[in-house]
Amino acid sequence: MFCASLAVLLLLCCTICYCAVEQCGETREKHSHWLHKENTCSDSQDDNDFGSSLIKDIYTSVKKAECDLANPSDYPPHYSPREGEEFDFIIVGSGSAGAVIANRLSEISEWNILLLEAGGNPTKTTEIPGAFMANCKSELDWQYQTDRYEDNCLGMVNSSCSMPRGKVLGGTSTINANIYVRGNRRDFDSWATAGNEGWEYENVLKYFKKSENIKAKEVLKTLKYQTYHGENGFLTVDSWNEYGLEGLINAFVEGMKELGYNTNMDVNGESQTGFAKVQGTIIDGKRCSTAKAFLSPIKNRSNLKISKHSLVTKIMVDQKSMTAHGVEFMDNLGKEIRIRARKEVIISAGAINSPQLLMLSGIGPRKHLEELGIEVIQDLPVGEKLEDHMIMVGLVFSFNYTREVKSITDYMYDFLKTNSSKLSGVGMLGYSTFINTLDNKNYLPDMQIHHGNYDVNDVESLDLFFDRFGLREEIRKQYHEINANRHIALLLPTLLRPASTGKILLSSTDPTDKPRIITGFLTKDDDFETFLRTTEFISKFSRTKAMRKLDTQFHEIAPPACTVHPLSSKEFRKCALRHLTSTAWHQTSTCKMGPEGDPTAVVNPQLQVRGVRQLRVADASIMPSVVSGNTNAAAIMIGEKAADLIKESWL
C-alpha cells in the first residue's frame, strides 16, 4: 500500500543467519562459527587485548538484541484441542479485535477460553516498522486478490488489486503500517443515530482510552490529552521517528498553512482536520501489535488456550434451537477437529474471513448459498456491504532534497541497538493530511492524504512497493525516471467516506479456497468527484511558496491507456483513477451492525448474529460504515466493547 523504507529483501538476507524463530538458543549454537569459528580476527587476539574484547562485546550485544526480536517465548504456547473438548468461549481469529477479547474474557478466572488462529507467531520482519511492506505476499498474509469484475485495478497485474490481510497472531495489526488513527467523532455518533445504541462517540471513547498507553510526546504536551487518551492500557501508542525528514516536514507544514490547514499534533484529540502528525502502535521503535500488547502479557494465564495454524471451517449450529454450540477446524496436519462452546462462539476473523466463515456455515444470502448447494440456516445479508478506503498512487512530488543515507546493515544495527534507526519509522507516512474537499472549515474530512517518500534513486524500495502493490511494469518505469535524480514523495489520496460499496462471495464450498472479493471501487460518480477535487488541491499545494523553495515538481503518472487524453484533463484523471486506485487495507461492514428492523444488518448492537443464539461477530466487519481514518484503532476498540458486552450477558 505505502512506501517501504528500504530494500527489505536485503534486510531479510542480513538476518537469516541469525537465530531461527522457533529456537533462538539452539540455532545460535548451530551458527556459532559465524561469530566464533577458530582463528577469526577477534579470537586470534590475546584475551587481554582491549580492542578484541570490545569487538566480542559487540557480537554478544547484537546476538542478544536479535534473539529478543520476535522471540517465540514472548507469545503464548500452542495448544492442540482434543476432539469434542469443551470451552466456555471459542474465539475465531487473534487479530486487532480477537486478541483483545481473549485478554479481557480470560480475566474471569472461572471461564475457559480457546483462541483459534490460522497463522503462527510473528516473525522478525514484523517487528520492523520500516519493513512492513515485506510482510505483504509472505506466509503471514492471506494474499487475497480482487475479482476482475469491474472497470478498476486496471494498472495492476491481471487487473486485480492485492488485499493484504494478516494470517498470524495479531492478524493485520502484525503486518500493517502501525498507524493509529481512530476516525472522527461524527462517525460513531452516526452509528448511534442509525439505531446502534451505545456506540456514540462519548461511549466508545472510554474503550479507546482503556486500551491505550499513550507515550507520544507531542500529545502529552497538549492541555486536554487526558480527556482523549489513556495511560494505563496494554497498547503502547507513541511518536514516529522522523530520521532526517525535518526539512521536508517543515515545508509541508508551511505549505498547508498557506492553504488554510494548520498542523494538528493530535489527530485523535479535539479535532481531526489539518496536516497531522499521526501516532503509531510502536514500543521502543518496534511494532506493538495486538499479539504483543494483549497476548504476551498473559501468555501464562492458565484459562486461555491458543491453537495456532488452525483454520476454522464451520460453525456448528443446532437448527432446532438455532444455537451455536461449537466449531470445526483443520489443524496444521489437515486433521478436522470438532470442539464445543458452552457459552458462545465469537468470530473475529476480519471483514473478509468472518463473512466467508458465516456463509460456509449456512448463514448468509439465501440465493448465493443455494447456488453453491449450502443448506441455509439463516438468511442474512452477510458480505453484502463491503466498504473500503480507496487509495490512489499516481500523484508524485519530486524535490531538491537529500538526507544522510546509510547501508542496510548499518540501519539494521541501529535498529537492533536503538529506536532511532530509519527502520524504526515509516518516513513521511508518519504524517497525514485530513481535508474536506468542499469546505476547509468543515471538521468532518472526506479525504486523508497519506505521504510516502523515497530517497534519490531508491530503486530497491520502489521495486518492493511495486511488487507488493502489483503495479504493471510499464507503469513502474515512470516512477523510477522521476526518482533517478530527485527525492520523491507519493501523495496518496485516500477516500474516507466512499459512496461505492462491494461484496464478499464464496468461490466454492471448500474453506481453503479464497473468497471472491468484488470491490465496487469507483462505481459511484461522487467518489470520482472527490478524488478529482483532491488532485486539484494537491496540484495547488505543489505551487505554494513553501513547496517552491524545494523546487517541487508535480507529476501525474500516465498509464499508457490514458495517454489518449490530454494530461491533467478530467478525462485523463478519471482514466488514471481506474488504473491506479487500490485498497488502503481498510475493509469493513461485511457483517454490518444495525438495529431491529434494519434489513441490511447481520448483527445487532450487542454484536449478536440475528436469529442465531450464542454467536457474535466482533471485528471491523460490524462497522455500519467505515470510519474516517485508518481502521486498526477502531477494530481494537470494538474488541474492548465486545468483551464488556459479553461479560454483561454472562456475569
Side-chain angles (χ1 to χ4, degrees), residues 327-472:
V327 303
E328 295 180 6
F329 76 92
M330 189 184 303
D331 68 12
N332 62 329
L333 299 176
K335 181 181 178 182
E336 292 187 352
I337 300 171
R338 290 188 171 199
I339 50 177
R340 299 182 64 84
R342 287 184 286 263
K343 288 183 168 62
E344 286 192 23
V345 174
I346 302 140
I347 305 176
S348 297
I352 296 175
N353 296 68
S354 287
Q356 180 190 24
L357 178 57
L358 285 172
M359 289 188 283
L360 287 169
S361 306
I363 302 169
R366 178 177 297 278
K367 181 180 178 182
H368 178 51
L369 298 187
E370 288 178 343
E371 287 172 347
L372 292 170
I374 297 174
E375 183 182 5
V376 180
I377 293 174
Q378 184 71 359
D379 182 10
L380 290 172
V382 173
E384 288 287 326
K385 194 179 177 294
L386 172 64
E387 292 196 13
D388 194 1
H389 291 148
M390 291 171 261
I391 188 168
M392 198 273 190
V393 300
L395 307 179
V396 183
F397 281 6
S398 65
F399 314 96
N400 181 17
Y401 188 84
T402 57
R403 60 174 173 171
E404 180 187 17
V405 176
K406 297 183 179 181
S407 71
I408 184 66
T409 49
D410 284 341
Y411 285 132
M412 189 61 191
Y413 179 81
D414 290 345
F415 175 78
L416 287 172
K417 297 303 298 173
T418 75
N419 62 0
S420 60
S421 168
K422 181 179 177 181
L423 290 172
S424 299
V426 287
M428 283 291 291
L429 191 57
Y431 285 80
S432 282
T433 304
F434 291 88
I435 63 173
N436 187 294
T437 59
L438 291 170
D439 178 9
N440 68 358
K441 302 299 182 184
N442 190 323
Y443 294 107
L444 180 60
D446 58 9
M447 188 64 72
Q448 176 182 1
I449 304 172
H450 290 95
H451 318 99
N453 68 291
Y454 296 86
D455 291 307
V456 176
N457 199 31
D458 196 353
V459 175
E460 292 86 358
S461 292
L462 272 173
D463 278 339
L464 178 63
F465 169 71
F466 293 140
D467 177 66
R468 298 313 196 254
F469 202 81
L471 208 61
R472 293 179 188 271

Side-chain angles (χ1 to χ4, degrees), residues 146-195:
T146 64
D147 266 32
R148 294 182 61 181
Y149 184 78
E150 294 142 342
D151 195 16
N152 56 46
C153 299
L154 300 180
M156 316 304 163
V157 175
N158 297 323
S159 298
S160 173
C161 285
S162 300
M163 279 203 169
R165 293 284 88 193
K167 187 180 182 182
V168 59
L169 281 186
T172 307
S173 79
T174 301
I175 70 168
N176 66 7
N178 299 88
I179 303 298
Y180 186 79
V181 175
R182 297 173 179 173
N184 193 283
R185 65 170 64 220
R186 296 189 198 177
D187 297 329
F188 309 105
D189 288 342
S190 71
W191 294 3
T193 300

